[in-house]
Structure formats: C-alpha cells, structure tokens
Amino acid sequence: MTKTMTVRQFFQRFPDDEACLRHVMEVRYGLRHTCRKCKTEATFHRMSDRRAFACSQCGDHVYPTAGTVLQDTRTPLQSWFYAIYLFVVTRHGVSGKELQRQLGVTYKTAWRMGQQLRLLMTSADEFRLLKGHVEADEAFIGGRLRRVKGRGKHLDNKTTVVGLRERGGLTQTVVVKDTKLGTLKRVVLENVEPGSIVSTDEHSGYNLLVEEGYTHGAVKHSKKEWAKTEDGIRHHTNSIESFWRLFKNSIRSTHIHVSEKYMQRYLDEFTFRSNKRQMGNAMFDLLIASFDRRGQGRFHFRCFGVGVA
Ligand SMILES: [Zn+2]
C-alpha cells in the first residue's frame, strides 16, 4: 500500500483552518485557474476579511467551500480534515464515539460528520462494471441469531447484502431485500460484464447465470468444498469472504449496531477504502475534491438497495 500521512505529518501539513481552506481551494479550483468572470488565466489570492480568494485580474471572489458541507459548518475545517484523515487511514472504520473523542465535538455532531463522510465516499467511488473473474457472495450483517420455537435458527434483525469482488481488483457491495433467485441474478446482471467468470457458493439464486452469458462455477460450502477447478478455472469465494470478515468484525467492534437504513453507507465506506487502497494520500484529496459531487454517481447501482437516501 502507498504510504499515507502519519498523524504528525497531518498536523504539520494542516496546522490550522487557514491551511485547510487553502487546500480546499487548491484541490477544487487551483490557486491559478481560468477565472469564471474575466475568462483570463489568473492567480487567486486570499482575502483577509472573508473565507474567499480574489482574482488578480478582475477581483472576482471564489469561496472554496461554497456548495459543500463545509460552507455553513460551525465545526472547524481542521476537524473536518482530521475526520477525513481518520476515515482514510483506519481500516476498521471510525465510530461516532471515536470521532467525538478525537475531535472534542458532541456525539450528535460526530455522528452527522461520519454520515456525511460516508456519503462523500459513495460519490467519490465512481461506478464501473466488474469484469474478468468475479466472486459473488451474500452475507447477513448485524442483529443476532435467535432461536425460534419449532423453526430452529432464525435470522433476526439482520441486513442481507451481496458482495462482488474482482480477483485482484474492485469490490462492489449492495443491500438487497432477499436472496431469492431473481434478486441475486439481477445484482450480477447490473454489476458484472457479460462474458465474465463468476464464482459463487451453491446458492441456487446464481444458477441462471450461464444462460446470461457468464461462465459460472459454484463451490458447495455445505459439503465443505471450498475450492474446485473446472475447465481450468479455479472457483472459490475466498477474496469476497475476506472482505465480509473484515466488514463484520469492524461493524461488531466499532459500530455495535448498524440499521438496515444506513447499512449501504457503511458498505460504501469499506468498499471505497478497499477500492482506493493504492492511492494513499491521494485518497484524502479525492475526498476533498468530491465535496461538490455529493449525492451523485452510482445511482443506478442503488436500484435494489433499501431505504438509502
Ligand atoms: Zn477574473
């Protein structure tokens, strides 16, 4: 993995709100860019009496945080930056409690900031169809297993999710309402390029993939079959399962409980980190630059997600 900043380096680079505002300006607009008003290539200098920069040619004002969550926030920019830093470097995610402690804000503020940053990660992780060799596996997150009289183990309060992971590539995850045939098939159709190899467990929901032009192989976990070779292709779901392991452990240890309503945001947070892990410090700037793209992108991926605004 590319190196990310240490805490010490973070505070050297962003010692105060002024340094943060300047950085937002640099990442979103550039300190030198074509002025939207006078249309000349101009340098922009910091105005002393407002959170703005002025064009050296015509004096037009640019507010770097305009249209972002940073615009009207009472939380210092440096706190936002540090929260983004924590989200980028922490493999297991950041809880509201942790943010509250680290930033010295109220729990409510910390929780809101966390949700905003998850939305930011959603919009910064642009969608593309997966291809090559893709593993698919469903998982049940949160809640607890409850024993119901006469029904054996019963899934209580759990959210059903499907994960897709390219061998050595990108991961995508989506909340689904069930694991019925039509649902699982649709997830693959919407997210994986036809012609790709798809490895799954024996769940019948994936059975029709061959008719759709995929090369499909399934391992029988119930019979302790974890991998098999078919026509020279090694089928297993080890990579997507390791993603689910990290996610489940993190949710359990960091967040205690995540309701179905917010599950997709947490999934997006973890897939973002997984997909951008090679970027290192650039991941940080990608999030800063994404401030003006909130709520956009990957929308079509959501069509069978539940209740995520
Ligand atoms: Zn100008």
Side-chain angles (χ1 to χ4, degrees):
M1 181 174 164
T2 317
K3 255 187 93 170
T4 44
M5 282 178 277
T6 62
V7 174
R8 192 187 163 81
Q9 285 166 333
F10 173 88
F11 284 106
Q12 274 169 355
R13 193 167 163 199
F14 303 112
D16 49 30
D17 276 18
E18 189 54 42
C20 297
L21 185 71
R22 198 177 174 83
H23 192 70
V24 176
M25 179 67 184
E26 280 175 30
V27 170
R28 291 191 74 199
Y29 300 98
L31 288 170
R32 185 178 174 82
H33 68 266
T34 305
C35 174
R36 61 182 170 183
K37 198 170 181 199
C38 68
K39 310 291 181 206
T40 54
E41 172 86 9
T43 50
F44 287 74
H45 55 264
R46 180 78 170 90
M47 303 182 71
S48 55
D49 56 342
R50 58 194 79 185
R51 296 212 306 186
F53 288 74
C55 171
S56 57
Q57 301 299 313
C58 73
D60 185 42
H61 300 171
V62 175
Y63 290 82
T65 60
T68 74
V69 66
L70 303 176
Q71 184 179 356
D72 301 312
T73 182
R74 286 196 204 136
T75 308
L77 283 187
Q78 193 196 34
S79 297
W80 275 101
F81 269 52
Y82 192 54
I84 294 173
Y85 170 74
L86 292 176
F87 266 77
V88 165
V89 298
T90 315
R91 197 163 166 258
H92 289 267
V94 189
S95 70
K97 276 278 166 211
E98 178 70 12
L99 271 189
Q100 178 188 13
R101 249 193 320 268
Q102 296 264 1
L103 304 180
V105 295
T106 65
Y107 179 73
K108 197 173 151 191
T109 299
W111 189 88
R112 277 206 192 136
M113 288 174 81
Q115 294 300 345
Q116 292 282 5
L117 294 183
R118 284 180 194 102
L119 287 177
L120 207 55
M121 290 168 117
T122 303
S123 64
D125 198 7
E126 42 325 288
F127 173 85
R128 79 151 165 80
L129 283 175
L130 302 181
K131 57 190 179 204
H133 192 160
V134 178
E135 297 177 14
D137 191 27
E138 64 282 353
F140 306 95
I141 315 284
R144 51 176 63 85
L145 279 176
R146 199 169 47 138
R147 207 162 276 284
V148 178
K149 235 183 179 174
R151 287 175 62 190
K153 270 183 192 169
H154 180 70
L155 295 178
D156 185 32
N157 205 17
K158 283 185 177 289
T159 304
T160 309
V161 295
V162 176
L164 302 154
R165 185 172 238 185
E166 287 174 335
R167 293 269 170 91
L170 292 185
T171 303
Q172 273 161 21
T173 49
V174 61
V175 175
V176 292
K177 56 185 190 305
D178 55 54
T179 56
K180 286 179 186 162
L181 190 127
T183 309
L184 293 181
K185 193 174 125 182
R186 237 175 29 237
V187 171
V188 175
L189 287 178
E190 286 280 327
N191 295 288
V192 184
E193 217 169 84
S196 308
I197 300 165
V198 182
S199 295
T200 68
D201 61 15
E202 72 250 70
H203 200 291
S204 62
Y206 299 110
N207 278 350
L208 292 176
L209 293 177
V210 176
E211 290 171 23
E212 310 291 343
Y214 300 93
T215 303
H216 177 224
V219 286
K220 295 191 170 64
H221 285 169
S222 61
K223 295 194 173 136
K224 298 208 184 325
E225 180 190 54
W226 309 112
K228 72 170 180 194
T229 305
E230 211 173 58
D231 299 326
I233 298 162
R234 191 73 179 151
H235 289 290
H236 63 74
T237 54
N238 295 349
S239 342
I240 186 63
E241 279 172 48
S242 77
F243 177 87
W244 285 136
R245 235 178 347 264
L246 171 69
F247 187 71
K248 283 179 179 175
N249 288 339
S250 305
I251 292 293
R252 203 177 297 130
S253 63
T254 312
H255 298 291
I256 317 299
H257 178 68
V258 174
S259 69
E260 184 164 287
K261 185 180 169 197
Y262 293 108
M263 188 63 77
Q264 188 67 52
R265 290 190 196 175
Y266 288 84
L267 289 175
D268 289 345
E269 178 194 337
F270 278 74
T271 47
F272 175 87
R273 263 197 303 270
S274 167
N275 290 341
K276 308 290 181 191
R277 62 192 179 279
Q278 308 296 348
M279 291 181 75
N281 285 334
M283 203 188 327
F284 184 87
D285 283 346
L286 175 65
L287 287 176
I288 306 269
S290 301
F291 266 127
D292 50 353
R293 292 196 288 135
R294 276 180 308 141
Q296 293 169 28
R298 292 184 77 202
F299 181 72
H300 57 298
F301 188 53
R302 278 298 139 62
C303 50
F304 18 76
V306 282
V308 180

